[in-house]
Amino acid sequence: MSFSTFIAPADNNGVGVAFTDREYPSEFLPNDSFDLSCESEEEFAHNIAALRSFVDCDQLAFCEQVHGTNVEQVDLSGIDDEHGCHHTGEADAMVATTPGVALVIRVADCIPVLLADTQAQVIGAVHAGRVGLLAGVLQQGIAEMTANGAKNIHAWVGPHICAGCYEVPREMAEDAWAVLRASKAQSWQGTPAIDLGAGAESILTSHGVTVTRLDPCTRCNPQFFSHRRDQGHPGRQAGIIWLKT
């Protein structure tokens, strides 16, 4: 399989939700891995074509992720690359109301958070690493969705590094805990750590968002790419959300 989670639009009021892993889908020609980074243009093009076919969306939208809080409204007026992918500017979240457009967030240990108001037909996708999470990227994404008419938002929290594996220096940990109390944790070794998933969930629920956690640890599980485990040039898996035409 190529998805750790796949929720078909037909089962979710027209909103598709998926989280990829590193395995290549058996429905397509074999490849080394389902890597959605840009380390190899040839591999990326091959995998993007498979992803587009699998989710049945002609338009795939990406943002230039910089660990910030900017949110881009996807209206397809941006740049399309040679692979037919739509690119926004620097941003770590996207919101869309256009059917047939899939929002794609790429990660290797950070959290891909997918959001939707299925009645209002408003979707969002957020890249929530430590820096962005503490700076308020989730709050910004929720605000932009609300401005587009979302009232009852559901969030799916995807695979990311777990608290036990996310050991950090004490000063960094204490700075994070001061901003986001729910992120306080210990690593498997009993050292200071940050719980990104618990932190994200606390932010989402405090804003009235219903949360479903579909988040095995990327570092513990070889099914996923991990920046910490695969040091050097790890690949990227993705969270994808789309409105069916």
Side-chain angles (χ1 to χ4, degrees):
M1 61 177 288
S2 62
F3 295 96
S4 62
T5 297
F6 185 91
I7 302 172
D11 299 325
N12 196 36
N13 292 324
V15 177
V17 174
F19 295 105
T20 69
D21 57 31
R22 70 190 302 158
E23 297 179 28
Y24 203 78
S26 59
E27 292 86 348
F28 298 94
L29 295 175
N31 204 3
D32 289 339
S33 69
F34 202 51
D35 181 6
L36 294 173
S37 71
C38 295
E39 289 295 320
S40 164
E41 281 294 323
E42 183 178 359
E43 181 180 43
F44 178 73
H46 187 80
N47 291 348
I48 281 295
L51 180 62
R52 181 182 287 110
S53 177
F54 206 96
V55 302
D56 194 22
C57 274
D58 289 334
Q59 299 290 338
L60 302 180
F62 296 82
C63 52
E64 185 181 343
Q65 299 168 194
V66 292
H67 297 278
T69 61
N70 189 42
V71 183
E72 286 279 353
Q73 180 83 33
V74 176
D75 59 10
L76 301 185
S77 61
I79 300 171
D80 290 322
D81 65 15
E82 65 270 27
H83 309 301
C85 298
H86 175 80
H87 290 267
T88 72
E90 290 186 353
D92 285 86
M94 295 177 284
V95 169
T97 59
T98 305
V101 175
L103 307 180
V104 184
I105 293 291
R106 289 177 288 182
V107 293
D109 276 331
C110 297
I111 311 176
V113 181
L114 307 178
L115 307 107
D117 181 332
T118 59
Q119 294 302 315
Q121 295 287 278
V122 181
I123 58 172
V126 180
H127 166 236
R130 174 183 59 85
V131 175
L133 192 67
L134 297 176
V137 68
L138 279 177
Q139 294 92 322
Q140 291 297 107
I142 293 167
E144 187 67 23
M145 291 185 67
T146 301
N148 277 272
K151 296 179 179 179
N152 299 300
I153 301 174
H154 192 115
W156 294 266
V157 175
H160 62 275
I161 193 168
C162 71
C165 289
Y166 196 19
E167 177 186 26
V168 297
R170 176 165 290 279
E171 184 178 358
M172 180 184 290
E174 290 179 345
D175 287 346
W177 302 343
V179 174
L180 190 55
R181 184 177 179 84
S183 69
K184 187 173 183 178
Q186 286 188 337
S187 72
W188 301 126
Q189 290 75 36
T191 53
I194 297 173
D195 191 332
L196 296 177
E201 184 173 10
S202 71
I203 293 169
L204 293 164
T205 55
S206 71
H207 284 75
V209 176
T210 303
V211 179
T212 298
R213 293 186 60 171
L214 303 163
D215 54 348
C217 176
T218 47
R219 187 175 185 274
C220 291
N221 194 328
Q223 179 183 357
F224 300 100
F225 297 105
S226 168
H227 179 76
R228 283 214 168 187
R229 187 193 62 235
D230 309 329
Q231 293 188 13
H233 298 283
R236 294 291 185 273
Q237 56 259 341
I240 308 112
I241 189 164
W242 66 100
L243 291 169
K244 184 64 177 174
T245 53

